[in-house]
């Protein structure tokens, strides 16, 4: 398989970088502070081009409050445990949150909140796999690869948090 098709997507929260493999699976959505250098390449398969176009459109719709769920073929690279956690993240409804501990309990892990947190932090397909919807068991916003201000903004966008008032 060749180099993935990569594309930058400007949003009001910064520039995301998307990557789609040659089989047409979305493999990365990198947050603004986790950018990789976009490499020239090609030609890219029609499947890769279709998925990239769909990913760009769906993310634009999400940020414009016209989409709540994503319908994209995903292939996140990770361990079997990480992929189990990411599959659970995809089941968190738009506009809601859950905790690391709750996910650990659902997966049958005793004292597994930290392991879930590590898997959450390794998520290569941010926003689409909504790791921003996971918070601390006490309701506090905890670590996020894009930074807590971005996590807060995404949760506000979805209505999971009341918008901050500018003073």
């Amino acid at each position: 398989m060749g180099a993935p098709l990569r594309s930058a997507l400007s949003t009001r929260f910064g520039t995301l970088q998307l990557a789609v493999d040659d089989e047409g699976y979305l493999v990365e959505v990198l947050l603004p502070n986790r950018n990789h250098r976009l490499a020239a390449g090609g030609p890219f398969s029609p499947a890769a081009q279709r998925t990239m176009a769909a990913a760009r459109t769906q993310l634009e719709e999400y940020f414009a409050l016209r989409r709540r769920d994503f319908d994209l073929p995903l292939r996140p690279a990770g361990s079997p445990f990480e992929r189990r956690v990411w599959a659970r993240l995809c089941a968190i409804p738009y506009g809601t949150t859950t905790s690391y501990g709750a996910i650990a309990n659902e997966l049958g892990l005793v004292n597994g909140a930290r392991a879930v947190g590590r898997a959450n932090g390794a998520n290569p397909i941010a926003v689409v796999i909504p790791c921003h919807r996971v918070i601390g068991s006490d309701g506090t916003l905890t670590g996020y690869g894009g930074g807590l201000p971005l996590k807060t903004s995404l949760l506000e966008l979805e209505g999971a948090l009341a918008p901050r008032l500018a003073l």
Side-chain angles (χ1 to χ4, degrees):
M1 207 174 336
L5 170 59
R6 294 188 176 275
S7 179
L9 177 66
S10 293
T11 75
R12 62 181 163 159
F13 302 110
T15 301
L16 303 177
Q17 290 193 26
L18 290 61
V20 174
D21 70 17
D22 205 45
E23 293 178 39
Y25 288 91
L26 184 64
V27 296
E28 287 182 332
V29 174
L30 300 176
L31 297 168
N33 67 338
R34 290 191 170 189
N35 290 341
H36 289 189
R37 186 172 42 105
L38 293 175
F44 296 104
S45 71
Q49 293 176 37
R50 279 190 303 274
T51 299
M52 181 61 76
R56 292 179 61 83
T57 297
Q58 289 185 30
L59 282 161
E60 288 168 349
E61 291 169 348
Y62 169 82
F63 289 116
L65 301 174
R66 293 191 318 266
R67 174 173 291 276
R68 291 177 170 229
D69 299 302
F70 294 95
D71 181 24
L72 298 165
L74 306 179
R75 185 179 282 162
S79 71
F81 174 73
E82 288 170 332
R83 290 193 305 271
R84 278 182 62 208
V85 170
W86 300 334
R88 175 57 187 92
L89 298 180
C90 289
I92 304 169
Y94 178 96
T96 65
T97 60
T98 191
S99 71
Y100 301 96
I103 292 173
N105 288 338
E106 290 172 22
L107 297 177
L109 304 171
V110 176
N111 298 320
R114 287 180 192 240
V116 168
R118 280 190 298 278
N120 201 52
N123 173 16
I125 307 178
V127 182
V128 175
I129 297 177
C131 53
H132 60 278
R133 295 179 187 155
V134 183
I135 62 174
S137 59
D138 63 358
T140 58
L141 299 187
T142 57
Y144 186 61
L148 289 180
L150 178 56
K151 183 174 190 166
T152 300
S153 294
L154 292 171
L155 291 172
E156 288 173 351
L157 175 85
E158 295 185 7
L161 288 179
R164 292 165 286 179
L165 298 176
L167 299 177

